[in-house]
Amino acid sequence: EKRRILVCGGGNGAHCLSALAASKDNLDVHVLTLYQDEAERWAKHVENENMKLTITKQDGTQYDIFSKPSLITKDAAKAMSGVEIVFLVVPAFAHAQYFTAIAPHLQPNTLIVGLPGQAGFELQCRHIIGDKASSCTIAASESLPFACRIVEFGRHARILGLKDSLGMSALKGKACQLSFPVVETVQGILGEYPKLELLKNYIAINLMADANVHPPMMYGRWGNWDGKPLKEEPLFYQGVDDRQADLLSRVSEELLATAKAIEQKRKDVDMSEVIHLFDWYKIHYPDQITDKSSLKMAMRTNKAYDGLVHPMVKTDEGYVPNFNYRYTSEDVPFGMVVMKGIADLAGVPTPAMDEILAWGQQKLGKEYIVGSKLIGKDIGLARAPQSFGMTSVDELFDI
Ligand code: NAD
C-alpha cells in the first residue's frame, strides 16, 4: 500500500522533492501550490508526460529520473485527502498561508515537515492549526536537503548537489501517535543522502539558525555606511572585520546564556546543541579553515566561503547594499526576532541583538522591537513566541 504525502509549494525545492518522491514505488505524491496560477500551469505540463529530474550525485555523476505527482492543485481539501505527511517547501514568508489552508483538513497523527523550517516554524504552525497541534508532529530541517533549480517550470528540475548530512528536529504533540518513525520515513523519501540526524529539540535549532550570522554581518558592515556606492561588491565572510566579529560573538554569548537559562527552568530539556559560533565553525569546517586562531580569522580563511559577496544592487554610480535580500528580509522576522523572543522568555538580556534588530527593522520599514522589548506594531508579522501571545518557556515545550 502506498503512503500519500503532500508537497506544498511550486518553486525549486517543491519541484525536486515532488519528482523525487513520486519516483518511489511506495509513495503517492500530491502537490498544493497556492501561488498565482502555478497549480494550473504545472498540472497542464504533466497531463500527458512525466517530469524530468536531473540529479548530480555525491561522486559528480548525473542521472535522470522521470515521474510525476498524481495531483497538482490549489484546492487544499483535495490536496489533503488521505495525506499522512505534509512537506512545506517554500520560503518562510509563505508558510502561514499553507498552515491556514491545510488546517481544516488535518487529520490526527499527521506529520508536518518544514523543509527547511527556519526560525519560528513550529511556533507559527502551532498558532495557526490551534488545538490540532497536540495530535500532530511538527518537524523541521535546518536547510533544504539539496541545492536545486527549476530548469523549465513544471517539466524539468535539477538537483545540483546533495548535502552529506542534515539536522532535523521533531516536536511531538502529546496526543500524537504516528504509525511510522519520523527520521527513517523522511529519509526513505529523500533517499540515501543527505543523512538525516535527529536533533535534540527544536528550540536549540531555532537559536542556531543561520540568522544568528546574517543580520550581525549586515549591521556590522553597513550600520555606519556613508551611503556612497562601492566600485566592487565586498566579500561577505572573507571580508569580516573586528566590529562584525565582535557583534557575532556577542550574539553567540546571548544565545548561549539563553540556552543555559532554559535548561535551568526545564530540567527535561537538553540545550547542548546551542554552541558558540566560533566552535560551530571549527566543528563544521575542520579542513576548510586555515587559521583557527579567532572567530574573525576562521571566517576569513574558510575555503567553503571563497568569493561569496554581500548582497548588492548595481546602480549607475556603483554597487549599493540590498537590504531586501533574505539576509535581512527573512533573517530578521523569521530569524533574529525569534531568537530575541526566546531569550526574553528565558529572562536573558540581549543588548547586541537589540541593537542589530533596531537597525534591521528600520531598513525593512518595520517595527518589531521598541528599546529592548518585542512590542513593536509589526511583531505579529514576525515569528517570535511573542508574535503568538506566548509568555513563558513552558509554553514552548508543552504542546
Ligand atoms: P523558491 O524561491 O523556488 O520558491 C518560490 C516559490 O515560493 C514559488 O514558486 C511559489 O510557489 C512560492 N511563492 C513565492 N512567492 C510567493 C508569494 N508571494 N506568496 C506565496 N507563495 C509564494 O524557493 P526554493 O529555492 O524552493 O527554496 C525554499 C527554501 O529553501 C527557501 O527558504 C530557500 O532559502 C531555502 N534553500 C534553497 C536552496 C536552493 O538551492 N534552492 C538551498 C538551500 C536553502
Side-chain angles (χ1 to χ4, degrees):
E1 177 152 335
K2 289 192 178 200
R3 167 169 290 133
R4 182 169 290 163
I5 70 166
L6 175 65
V7 176
C8 296
N12 303 306
H15 271 66
C16 292
L17 179 65
S18 54
L20 187 65
S23 73
K24 315 252 159 159
D25 293 337
N26 60 348
L27 295 173
D28 176 47
V29 180
H30 282 184
V31 169
L32 174 66
T33 173
L34 302 171
Y35 187 55
Q36 296 180 348
D37 60 349
E38 278 183 347
E40 213 180 319
R41 286 193 293 133
W42 188 351
K44 203 166 186 155
H45 284 316
V46 298
E47 216 166 40
N48 299 313
E49 56 187 324
N50 280 322
M51 290 173 68
K52 174 167 154 183
L53 178 65
T54 304
I55 302 178
T56 304
K57 291 203 295 190
Q58 301 297 87
D59 62 9
T61 58
Q62 284 192 3
Y63 65 102
D64 291 329
I65 58 176
F66 297 87
S67 63
K68 62 177 173 183
S70 63
L71 176 71
I72 300 166
T73 178
K74 67 188 316 179
D75 180 332
K78 286 190 186 132
M80 282 294 284
S81 161
V83 164
E84 291 175 78
I85 309 178
V86 179
F87 288 94
L88 275 78
V89 196
V90 284
F93 70 81
H95 286 159
Q97 68 185 111
Y98 284 98
F99 293 139
T100 303
I102 65 171
H105 316 290
L106 265 179
Q107 294 302 315
N109 308 320
T110 301
L111 172 63
I112 301 169
V113 187
L115 207 75
Q118 298 185 255
F121 179 83
E122 299 85 352
L123 302 177
Q124 185 177 50
C125 180
R126 286 167 63 187
H127 180 72
I128 295 177
I129 70 174
D131 291 344
K132 290 190 174 183
S134 62
S135 63
C136 291
T137 293
I138 308 170
S141 68
E142 290 179 303
S143 182
L144 199 62
F146 17 75
C148 61
R149 292 288 172 270
I150 292 175
V151 180
E152 195 188 347
F153 181 86
R155 287 206 170 99
H156 183 197
R158 190 181 283 280
I159 292 182
L160 304 155
L162 295 157
K163 290 186 178 11
D164 288 330
S165 66
L166 182 65
M168 172 171 260
S169 60
L171 177 66
K172 183 179 158 306
K174 58 180 178 296
C176 179
Q177 286 176 322
L178 295 180
S179 59
F180 50 86
V182 174
V183 169
E184 290 81 349
T185 306
V186 176
Q187 187 78 68
I189 295 169
L190 296 179
E192 195 181 354
Y193 287 100
K195 302 270 184 221
L196 294 176
E197 288 167 25
L198 182 64
L199 301 169
K200 287 178 182 135
N201 78 76
Y202 83 105
I203 291 298
I205 301 320
N206 275 259
L207 296 179
M208 288 302 291
D210 280 353
N212 79 55
V213 175
H214 300 147
M217 289 289 288
M218 292 294 284
Y219 172 57
R221 180 66 180 78
W222 304 109
N224 293 328
W225 179 52
D226 60 10
K228 292 206 182 84
L230 280 73
K231 289 210 171 58
E232 285 175 4
E233 297 156 295
L235 288 167
F236 195 73
Y237 298 97
Q238 289 162 313
V240 66
D241 63 15
D242 288 326
R243 176 177 150 82
Q244 288 169 304
D246 178 60
L247 277 166
L248 289 165
S249 212
R250 285 168 57 211
V251 167
S252 258
E253 276 149 29
E254 291 173 1
L255 296 172
L256 276 167
T258 301
K260 292 223 169 67
I262 290 174
E263 280 184 343
Q264 301 240 298
K265 283 186 206 283
R266 293 283 302 217
K267 300 294 176 206
D268 58 329
V269 172
D270 180 340
M271 296 290 288
S272 59
E273 279 154 351
V274 178
I275 57 174
H276 194 285
L277 187 62
F278 187 22
D279 295 320
W280 189 89
Y281 277 122
K282 287 187 278 192
I283 292 168
H284 283 84
Y285 298 99
D287 305 323
Q288 288 100 321
I289 295 174
T290 48
D291 182 345
K292 299 193 177 87
S293 62
S294 65
L295 173 61
K296 181 177 94 168
M297 290 316 296
M299 292 176 78
R300 288 185 80 102
T301 65
N302 185 352
K303 287 196 198 71
Y305 290 156
D306 245 1
L308 292 180
V309 293
H310 273 265
M312 307 295 281
V313 181
K314 197 171 182 192
T315 69
D316 289 343
E317 289 79 41
Y319 291 99
V320 297
N322 179 1
F323 297 121
N324 289 317
Y325 189 64
R326 67 183 168 86
Y327 288 177
T328 33
S329 67
E330 296 236 321
D331 289 341
V332 170
F334 315 126
M336 192 158 275
V337 171
V338 183
M339 299 173 190
K340 159 69 183 170
I342 295 169
D344 269 7
L345 296 186
V348 172
T350 58
M353 284 198 269
D354 297 353
E355 188 182 329
I356 295 162
L357 289 176
W359 174 84
Q361 67 182 4
Q362 186 242 327
K363 291 292 166 222
L364 296 169
K366 294 282 189 299
E367 182 193 72
Y368 307 114
I369 197 167
V370 178
S372 66
K373 292 209 157 42
L374 287 179
I375 51 170
K377 65 176 170 54
D378 297 314
I379 190 61
L381 302 174
R383 297 208 299 206
Q386 291 77 1
S387 307
F388 310 119
M390 293 185 176
T391 55
S392 73
V393 165
D394 286 336
E395 283 170 88
L396 296 175
F397 296 101
D398 299 334
I399 118 160

